[in-house]
């Protein structure tokens, strides 16, 4: 449901983006989301950050191919530290799509608190993440269903095993409840899920006092 999630994000951000403010995609990868947002947020300043130089290079080529090379700013940055050296500035939207799960747990509170502080009032943080089920047995079921899904879509056992090994001890997911608690204790007054499929979830966090 990657495509469907991006559609949901575009719909939400069309409502939540505040004219005159910027949009930041942290962990922007190849810049696909920023390119798509450019068509629905026509006057927004769009900025992408990623810690991978090859990814940023690909994102720049992607933006240029869509005629957006001057409109989308792309920067190399490490979200695991030295946040004071990184934007965002004057942001009403920050996205963390499949990125927070790779931030060391020791640094996650600092990152989310820093995002909250940088957002303007009524700004939003959108997070998509791999999550853990509340029950270990159910979590195993969900993972098995996901691997079945990958097999149906042409992935071999070798590819599945290689990806699983590559992410071991690198991708550290939280439970849905733990993510919600993280966002709330770092200042977001309105927090909820907007999507969940097995071990994958989307969260919408609004910088506004809790109702």
């Amino acid at each position: 449901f990657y495509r469907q999630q991006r559609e949901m994000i575009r719909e939400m951000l069309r409502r939540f983006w505040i004219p005159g403010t910027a949009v930041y995609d942290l962990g922007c990868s190849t810049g696909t989301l920023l390119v798509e947002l450019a068509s629905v947020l026509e006057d927004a300043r769009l900025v992408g950050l990623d810690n991978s130089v090859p990814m940023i290079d690909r994102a720049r080529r992607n933006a240029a191919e869509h005629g957006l090379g001057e409109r989308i700013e792309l920067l190399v940055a490490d979200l695991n530290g030295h946040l004071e050296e990184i934007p965002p500035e004057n942001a009403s939207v920050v996205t963390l799509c499949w990125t927070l799960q790779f931030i060391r747990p020791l640094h996650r509170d600092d990152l989310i608190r820093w995002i909250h502080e940088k957002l303007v009032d009524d700004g939003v943080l959108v997070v998509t993440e791999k999550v853990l089920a509340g029950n270990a047995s159910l979590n195993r079921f969900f993972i098995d269903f996901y691997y079945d899904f990958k097999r149906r879509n042409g992935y071999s056992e070798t590819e599945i095993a290689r990806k699983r090994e590559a992410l071991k001890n690198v991708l550290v997911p939280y439970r849905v409840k733990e993510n919600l608690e993280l966002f709330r204790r770092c200042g977001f007054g309105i927090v909820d899920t907007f999507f969940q499929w097995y071990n994958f979830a989307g969260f919408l966090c609004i910088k506004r006092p809790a109702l």
Side-chain angles (χ1 to χ4, degrees), residues 16 46 89 117 122 155 166 171:
F16 282 107
L46 302 167
E89 298 173 354
E117 290 172 355
D122 292 326
Y155 286 85
L171 189 160

Side-chain angles (χ1 to χ4, degrees), residues 152-172:
R152 290 195 302 272
N153 283 272
Y155 286 85
S156 69
E157 295 298 329
T158 300
E159 289 172 320
I160 293 172
R162 186 182 296 124
K163 184 66 175 291
R164 181 172 61 239
E165 188 62 29
L167 295 178
K168 188 176 180 180
N169 299 322
V170 177
L171 189 160
V172 182

Side-chain angles (χ1 to χ4, degrees), residues 5-161:
Q5 288 177 55
R6 294 205 316 268
E7 289 174 355
M8 295 171 76
I9 291 171
R10 291 199 303 272
E11 288 175 348
M12 289 190 298
L13 299 191
R14 188 185 291 114
R15 299 285 187 92
F16 282 107
W17 174 68
I18 299 171
T21 66
V23 174
Y24 287 81
D25 185 14
L26 308 184
C28 65
S29 186
T30 60
T32 300
L33 179 60
L34 289 169
V35 168
E36 293 180 352
L37 289 176
S39 66
V40 296
L41 306 178
E42 296 182 357
D43 298 319
R45 179 181 173 228
L46 302 167
V47 184
L49 285 75
D50 203 283
N51 67 350
S52 168
V53 173
M55 283 295 186
I56 287 294
D57 288 341
R58 287 183 61 187
R60 288 189 175 123
R61 291 197 298 272
N62 189 17
E65 288 169 1
H66 287 83
L68 298 167
E70 295 185 1
R71 186 171 167 209
I72 297 177
E73 181 180 358
L74 295 155
L75 307 169
V76 177
D78 182 4
L79 300 177
N80 272 298
H82 306 294
L83 297 176
E84 69 280 356
E85 301 174 5
I86 308 172
E89 298 173 354
N90 189 37
S92 64
V93 170
V94 173
T95 58
L96 274 171
C97 296
W98 318 113
T99 299
L100 187 60
Q101 58 201 13
F102 293 108
I103 302 298
R104 292 190 290 275
L106 180 66
H107 296 308
R108 290 187 194 182
D109 279 72
D110 289 341
L111 175 61
I112 300 303
R113 192 172 293 111
W114 168 77
I115 291 171
H116 179 268
E117 290 172 355
K118 293 291 186 177
L119 281 168
V120 301
D121 290 342
D122 292 326
V124 299
L125 167 64
V126 174
V127 180
T128 54
E129 280 283 281
K130 186 173 184 180
V131 295
L132 295 173
N135 177 276
S137 296
L138 193 58
N139 194 64
R140 185 68 256 170
F141 277 128
F142 287 170
I143 291 172
D144 288 344
F145 294 152
Y146 175 51
Y147 290 156
D148 287 343
F149 170 81
K150 296 187 83 167
R151 293 183 188 100
R152 290 195 302 272
N153 283 272
Y155 286 85
S156 69
E157 295 298 329
T158 300
E159 289 172 320
I160 293 172

